[in-house]
Amino acid sequence: MDEIKGKTWTFGENIDTDVIIPGRYLRTFNPQDLADHVLEGERPDFTKNVKKGDIIVADENFGCGSSREQAPVAIKTAGVDAIVAKSFARIFYRNAINIGLPVVVSDIEAKDGDILKIDLAKGIIVNETTGVEDTFEPFKDFMLDILNDEGLVNHYLKENE
């Protein structure tokens, strides 16, 4: 999972966890049920049109609000392979990595439908549609291991077999 390439969905700033997955849907533990409602208040077309491998690009403070772990689970289960934002809420960032969803801090410009290529190990992100490139702090090996193992729990189990 060192490299990710996908079509973008763009969002603004302060996309909080209540917007990502509204509280009324938290009565289920089924990840697919959560994914069926992810970001529906912000972009009603998102759940119907997001495809495996797509990438969310957002402004500042993505994932602010509560510490609900269901928010990154819903995004990942919907098919999103990575989230790129100018900044993340700290607990959202940690929860995303813990479930194996890469979150990249970058100021890359993108519009809906642009194609991004992200190299997590090298810290390079390229908007292949516009040719714009940005750098970010490369992911450390232990984080890449967690992402490659599809999350912290799977990584722990693999390491302790």
Side-chain angles (χ1 to χ4, degrees):
M1 176 183 276
D2 289 358
E3 285 193 359
I4 299 165
K5 184 175 178 176
K7 181 185 82 166
T8 59
W9 291 82
T10 57
F11 292 86
E13 62 184 16
N14 299 317
I15 301 296
D16 66 42
T17 54
D18 289 325
V19 169
I20 295 169
I21 187 67
R24 65 183 172 273
Y25 299 116
L26 298 179
R27 295 186 182 120
T28 180
F29 292 104
N30 182 326
Q32 188 57 56
D33 289 342
L34 297 171
D36 289 344
H37 299 286
V38 69
L39 293 159
E40 70 182 10
E42 188 74 15
R43 299 274 303 263
D45 63 329
F46 184 77
T47 58
K48 292 180 184 85
N49 296 308
V50 66
K51 303 282 187 250
K52 175 73 179 128
D54 286 354
I55 298 170
I56 289 176
V57 178
D59 208 322
E60 295 186 29
N61 206 23
F62 191 89
C64 58
S66 74
S67 61
R68 63 178 61 151
E69 295 174 355
Q70 295 94 331
V73 168
I75 291 170
K76 182 178 178 184
T77 304
V80 172
D81 273 1
I83 304 171
V84 178
K86 291 180 183 177
S87 66
F88 291 90
R90 188 178 338 185
I91 190 77
F92 181 89
Y93 185 95
R94 187 175 72 209
N95 286 340
I97 297 295
N98 285 349
I99 64 148
L101 177 63
V103 282
V104 175
V105 177
S106 171
D107 193 8
I108 192 86
E109 290 186 26
K111 296 184 305 236
D112 282 349
D114 284 358
I115 302 299
L116 290 187
K117 182 176 177 184
I118 306 166
D119 189 317
L120 300 173
K122 292 180 181 173
I124 299 170
I125 183 168
V126 178
N127 183 328
E128 292 190 339
T129 305
T130 64
V132 174
E133 184 175 309
D134 192 27
T135 59
F136 58 91
E137 183 176 340
F139 279 52
K140 300 198 178 339
D141 287 342
F142 79 92
M143 288 178 69
L144 291 171
D145 291 343
I146 291 169
L147 294 171
N148 285 326
D149 290 340
E150 292 292 316
L152 188 58
V153 171
N154 289 341
H155 177 69
Y156 175 81
L157 293 173
K158 182 179 172 185
E159 292 291 311
N160 291 289
E161 290 181 327

